[in-house]
Amino acid sequence: MTTASPSSSPIDVLATAEAWAAAGRPLALATVIETWGSAPRPVGSHLVIDADGNFEGSVSGGCVEGAVVSEAAEVIADGKPRVLSFGVADETAWRVGLSCGGRIRVMVERIG
Amino acid sequence: MDIALLQRLNGLRRARKAGVVVTRVSDASNRLVAEGDGLDGDPLRVEIASAFRSGKSGVVVHDTEEYFLTAHLPPPRIVAIGAVHITQALIPIAAVADFDLIVVDPRTAFATPERFAGCRLFAEWPEDVLPGLGLDPHTAVAAVTHDPKIDDFALRHALERGCFYVGALGSRKTHAKRRERLIGAGVPEADIEAIRAPIGMDIGASTPAEIAVAVMAEIIEAYRRRPIDVTGTPR
């Protein structure tokens, strides 16, 4: 007898990445490596992206996924990893705890 | 990240083994340290051991170089032997503390789905169920039936499997008798010392719910303070 999914989230991003890679799809993996303030997704959160811009997972709950996905296309194309920084300067947003009032650093690397 | 590393990592996760991916931020070169791998001579052994213990991912700096450590720990579990009142109270407490709860009790009058909605329940003997559950160093076992016929096998099995917490309900007198039985069954004395008895942190708990809180507190303490040896294996 085995236990259920090793991940507590309903979508296991790393399992998805492995399945997509096995299907021969060129991929990039984005990972939240640092956060400051009220970042919406914790350090270690993953987003997997394919060359067509399909993605699974999240690094910010929707705030910066678009930028990460477009950067991922270049990472897939040239194989060079990138570290992206995102922040919202709006102090009011931060103070009231809006989810996008924090700053995050995201590493994007190619899989394969 | 190469695909072989990703496959190896997912294999560890499926097998409920801990792993830490070490990624150099400057060029995204990765390596995977699995539970049980030697950390001797690893320049990041302190940081990696800490990631194994806390389960927290983060950036560390070594020799002016940044490394990102991604910690993958299996979700901790509690296996409760005994479908008793204390165990019912433990269901919501374990859930909010993010522990999976599995309940085993062969007494079908106790182990009813009505009393144990919201957790996995086995109305069977521990000898029949536990070997298939794959108890491991990320599992706690709390034996709360008071009945040696039900509890003793579970305690022995939990100790053999290296569970991070093994607790048993019963007074000091009850535990003294239990000690004698386990010694008679060939369990090493040092292992018996590791059994938390009487079960639960000493907060003067008297009701079943309070005892459940005390047990949960003791399990959390054992989990957060568990020794991690230099190989990354909880022991």
Side-chain angles (χ1 to χ4, degrees):
Chain A
M1 189 169 298
T2 56
T3 51
S5 155
S7 164
S8 58
S9 70
I11 293 163
D12 186 334
V13 179
L14 294 177
T16 301
E18 187 180 337
W20 286 6
R25 291 157 73 171
L27 303 176
L29 181 69
T31 308
V32 178
I33 64 170
E34 279 186 286
T35 65
W36 297 265
S38 59
R41 297 284 292 134
V43 170
S45 300
H46 290 301
L47 176 70
V48 60
I49 310 105
D50 76 3
D52 298 327
N54 298 302
F55 62 89
E56 200 68 82
S58 71
V59 289
S60 76
C63 308
V64 303
E65 267 72 7
V68 173
V69 167
S70 68
E71 202 74 29
E74 295 181 30
V75 171
I76 291 170
D78 67 17
K80 290 201 185 88
R82 288 159 175 73
V83 177
L84 315 172
S85 292
F86 299 98
V88 172
D90 187 340
E91 286 297 316
T92 309
W94 193 330
R95 274 206 310 279
V96 299
L98 290 180
S99 63
C100 285
R103 284 167 56 212
I104 59 172
R105 245 173 119 204
V106 178
M107 169 180 272
V108 188
E109 60 186 303
R110 188 157 74 174
I111 293 179
Chain B
M1 180 183 290
D2 68 36
I3 292 165
L5 189 148
L6 177 62
Q7 288 170 335
R8 213 150 59 81
L9 174 62
N10 282 338
L12 284 177
R13 295 167 68 232
R14 280 190 298 272
R16 282 186 58 84
K17 299 268 188 224
V20 174
V21 179
V22 181
T23 306
R24 188 158 60 194
V25 173
S26 61
D27 63 358
S29 60
N30 330 75
R31 64 190 172 96
L32 172 61
V33 182
E35 174 184 331
D37 285 355
L39 283 176
D40 274 351
D42 194 307
L44 294 173
R45 64 186 174 280
V46 175
E47 292 83 354
I48 293 170
S50 165
F52 271 115
R53 185 183 297 106
S54 69
K56 287 208 169 74
S57 302
V59 172
V60 300
V61 178
H62 184 80
D63 275 349
T64 73
E65 189 80 61
E66 272 190 316
Y67 297 88
F68 180 64
L69 272 48
T70 325
H72 296 274
L73 261 59
R77 300 186 290 186
I78 301 169
V79 177
I81 309 301
V84 298
H85 202 164
I86 295 168
T87 320
Q88 286 179 286
L90 191 58
I91 296 172
I93 300 170
V96 292
D98 257 347
F99 282 74
D100 293 335
L101 178 63
I102 300 171
V103 179
V104 179
D105 195 326
R107 300 169 299 178
T108 48
F110 287 82
T112 66
E114 293 74 34
R115 282 157 48 86
F116 288 88
C119 71
R120 284 173 74 195
L121 176 69
F122 295 90
E124 294 171 56
W125 287 92
E127 346 352 26
D128 298 329
V129 175
L130 298 190
L133 289 177
L135 303 197
D136 57 28
H138 309 281
T139 305
V141 170
V144 291
T145 71
H146 273 129
D147 184 340
K149 289 196 302 297
I150 305 172
D151 284 350
D152 280 11
F153 170 83
L155 294 171
R156 276 163 41 209
H157 187 69
L159 293 169
E160 282 166 15
R161 302 288 307 176
C163 293
F164 74 85
Y165 172 93
V166 184
L169 187 71
S171 64
R172 283 185 175 78
K173 203 171 143 198
T174 305
H175 189 58
K177 286 186 198 147
R178 181 184 292 128
R179 271 186 76 93
E180 284 172 26
R181 288 195 309 274
L182 293 176
I183 287 170
V187 179
E189 210 153 339
D191 284 7
I192 296 171
E193 287 303 314
I195 298 175
R196 312 285 188 114
I199 201 169
M201 193 170 276
D202 184 6
I203 56 171
S206 67
T207 67
E210 289 171 5
I211 295 169
V213 169
V215 170
M216 192 68 236
E218 195 172 57
I219 289 173
I220 291 170
E221 183 192 43
Y223 186 65
R224 289 301 171 196
R225 299 207 169 132
R226 68 200 187 284
I228 304 268
D229 68 23
V230 289
T231 66
T233 308
R235 56 177 176 193

